[in-house]
Amino acid sequence: MIASWLAGLAMVGVSMTDVSDPPLAWSPSGDWVAFAVATPSVERSLASFPLFPSDEDRDEQEGTHPEDAASGLTFRIWAVRVRDNQALKVAESAYPLTSPAWGPNGRGLAFAQVAEGTPGDDLRWEVVVAFGEDREVIASRPLLGGPGRGHALLAEPVAWEPGGAVLAVPDPDQVGVELIDVKTGAQARRIDNARLVSFSPIGGRLAYFRSRGEQWELVEGDLDLGPIADRPIDLLNIINQPACWTSDGQALLYLKPGNPLAEGQQTRFFSVRVSEQIPRQVKEVESPALPGERILGSYLSVAADGLDQYFVVQFSGRPAAISYHQGSHPLDRIHPYAGMGMIGAPSLSPRGDQLAVRFGGPGIRSLPARITLKDKQLRPLVPDDELRAAWINTLAEVAEPGATTRPRPTRLPFSDEFGEVGPPSATFQRLAGLGNRLTRELGANPVSRTLRVRPIAFFSYLQKDYDAVDRVMPDVARTAMNADQALRMLGLQAQLCLAQGKQREAEAMVEFIRHQNRERIAQVEENGNGGFTVSLDDPETGSWPEELWNAAQAGDETRPGSRLEPPAMPPRAVPLSSPFDAAVTPERGPRSLIEDRTRRADP
């Protein structure tokens, strides 16, 4: 049963993966923030560190991750005390779980999870309330024979009714919500085709979204009266979070994006008083979608008094920033890295002094962090090494220069692009400083140095610490997996030489790369008649060797005394076409040119 369920879950990961960022939950006191994550192992994260652009990297950013749906990820729920970053692991599983919710008094943390029973039993669906390290399973039932909802569950929060008597729990088998009595574990009500329940803060009422074909219907109802009191309010194209109640329980607040595929659509902020049931547009919160852009998601967090409002609208073609409004007036836009990295799911602390957010999304791969509103600094929530390694990968992915259409040997900007492509140099350095710190913190983890050298080189380059890159380049060069990466390693060394002012060395390396005839890529396809056709890339299309050569030719003349002579040719009976032929060979991985010089200098 377990094997078949996982096979079905892999299929769900392809077709139903939810792109919403999982929510983060503040305790009522504001001392703790709880969240769910799904992370690979440290080794897996670092082994896939994105130093070079590739088709695989683009597929990972733009699509789903079907290989992760059935294996490779560990699901955890953490509660982190923000005062000192002390963390408590509330749950850990190889199977999906929901995002958690705090109880009304802040003592309990509720969630639901897929769990194994006794050996030979089917998988079960458990509703759990954790009190610190103590756990109580208040409801449990077997999973049905269907494929389940997979990773979409991580973005589905449990909701806890303010009186403490009822939990709203997502159905793991199909879209739906179950209302569970906390004391007895019995199902008080089931709402089919529903998602994202929220309870009125004064009790007695609830709101949820119900499927209506291609749209979602916002519904408000009475908790005690049940379905007969449910009243539809509005239709929405996209939903990413529950509707927000005002602190007096008299009105609902929500965002209403336009058609996500249509240009010119705007996201609007709506309010509806429960007594009137008539939605009222308050204002537009973001500029329209531009041609070619898609709306990926929208999020709202409002202070208890309703005055401070924080909006995030995620577009496919632009950075997402947090828009801060006070009343009807937009006052600020917040992004700690000037647009590098997608922000999502902001949640304002009860004290109103910081936001818990997701970074690097959208989707379940987004990572937890908090932003203090006084200094607007982003502080990752990293209670374990798996999250630390995931953050290292994400920081490298978001640091790619904005001109993504330009062919590049690496994801790194050229030295003369700092401050010209995307954010200013200081922003790159600030992001790299965080990446380097997280990489150093992995020093105590039993992973090989080989897995950490790419992050060291990447972030040190962004910080313009070229000597640090030089020191690890021999180890970086040994991590090449194929011929293309071997050439890109040499391209990285040429890029480093350009940054250091070693123009002649860089030009010699680039000249060698250009003569490997890799500019034009052949593609062989069946023609449908039993034969094959061979096509070549457009010869007018640029390639990263040509871009690297152009950068080398555009470089300034180096200062006297700063130019190093190219390495001498090793003795060979047959003349080499280039002094760098030995750097890339089909028999073995690339050998670092820096390593060659070091060896020749040894006595």
Side-chain angles (χ1 to χ4, degrees), residues 159-168 179 189 191 196-209 218-233 242-252 272-277:
W160 202 325
E161 188 265 330
V166 176
L167 287 173
L179 301 185
R189 179 186 172 189
I191 310 175
L196 303 177
V197 170
S198 60
F199 290 107
S200 166
I202 61 174
R205 309 200 70 80
L206 79 164
Y208 62 89
F209 292 99
L218 175 60
V219 179
E220 181 269 333
D222 188 291
L223 185 59
D224 296 325
L225 295 179
I228 61 172
D230 287 353
R231 294 175 290 185
I233 293 176
C244 299
W245 290 83
T246 56
S247 58
D248 60 5
Q250 299 304 307
L252 285 165
V272 57
R273 293 192 63 81
V274 173
S275 59
E276 298 175 357
Q277 298 280 312

Side-chain angles (χ1 to χ4, degrees), residues 407-428:
R408 296 179 176 276
T410 70
R411 285 181 176 269
L412 295 163
F414 293 111
S415 56
D416 61 350
E417 290 180 327
F418 285 116
E420 295 182 8
V421 178
S425 176
T427 303
F428 278 112

Side-chain angles (χ1 to χ4, degrees), residues 98-105 108-113 125-131 136-140 157-171 176-191 196-199 205-207 223:
T98 69
S99 287
W102 292 97
N105 57 11
L109 199 61
F111 61 95
Q113 65 178 3
W125 181 242
E126 296 180 346
V127 181
V128 182
V129 177
F131 301 91
E136 179 183 353
V137 178
I138 65 171
S140 178
V158 167
W160 202 325
E161 188 265 330
V166 176
L167 287 173
V169 181
D171 188 319
V177 174
E178 299 170 346
L179 301 185
I180 304 295
D181 186 291
V182 173
K183 289 185 177 180
T184 67
Q187 183 183 120
R189 179 186 172 189
R190 174 182 172 81
I191 310 175
L196 303 177
V197 170
S198 60
F199 290 107
R205 309 200 70 80
L206 79 164
L223 185 59

Side-chain angles (χ1 to χ4, degrees), residues 11 120 266 309 370 377 383 493 502 555 569:
M11 179 177 66
Q266 290 184 294
Q309 308 152 13
R370 58 189 179 93
Q377 295 297 305
Q493 290 181 290
K502 303 172 185 177
M569 290 190 300

Side-chain angles (χ1 to χ4, degrees), residues 370-497:
R370 58 189 179 93
I371 297 176
T372 51
L373 296 176
K374 183 177 181 179
D375 60 13
K376 298 175 183 165
Q377 295 297 305
L378 181 139
R379 293 170 171 84
L381 296 168
V382 285
D384 66 351
D385 281 348
E386 282 75 12
L387 264 172
R388 193 168 283 110
W391 264 99
I392 290 169
N393 252 21
T394 295
L395 289 171
E397 287 176 352
V398 305
E400 187 171 9
T404 54
T405 57
R406 178 177 180 177
R408 296 179 176 276
T410 70
R411 285 181 176 269
L412 295 163
F414 293 111
S415 56
D416 61 350
E417 290 180 327
F418 285 116
E420 295 182 8
V421 178
S425 176
T427 303
F428 278 112
Q429 293 189 48
R430 188 166 65 250
L431 180 145
L434 174 58
N436 258 332
R437 176 174 67 79
L438 295 174
T439 304
R440 288 195 302 271
E441 291 174 0
L442 278 180
N445 190 281
V447 296
S448 70
R449 176 173 171 77
T450 300
L451 290 177
R452 290 188 290 119
V453 292
R454 284 192 178 191
I456 292 171
F458 188 97
F459 296 123
S460 296
Y461 178 92
L462 286 180
Q463 288 187 299
K464 302 184 180 180
D465 186 356
Y466 304 128
D467 290 338
V469 187
D470 267 334
R471 288 193 294 270
V472 297
M473 276 305 299
D475 293 319
V476 173
R478 282 192 286 267
T479 66
M481 304 297 292
N482 50 49
D484 180 69
Q485 283 197 9
L487 284 176
R488 288 181 182 272
M489 288 289 183
L490 196 59
L492 173 60
Q493 290 181 290
Q495 193 172 342
L496 180 61
C497 285

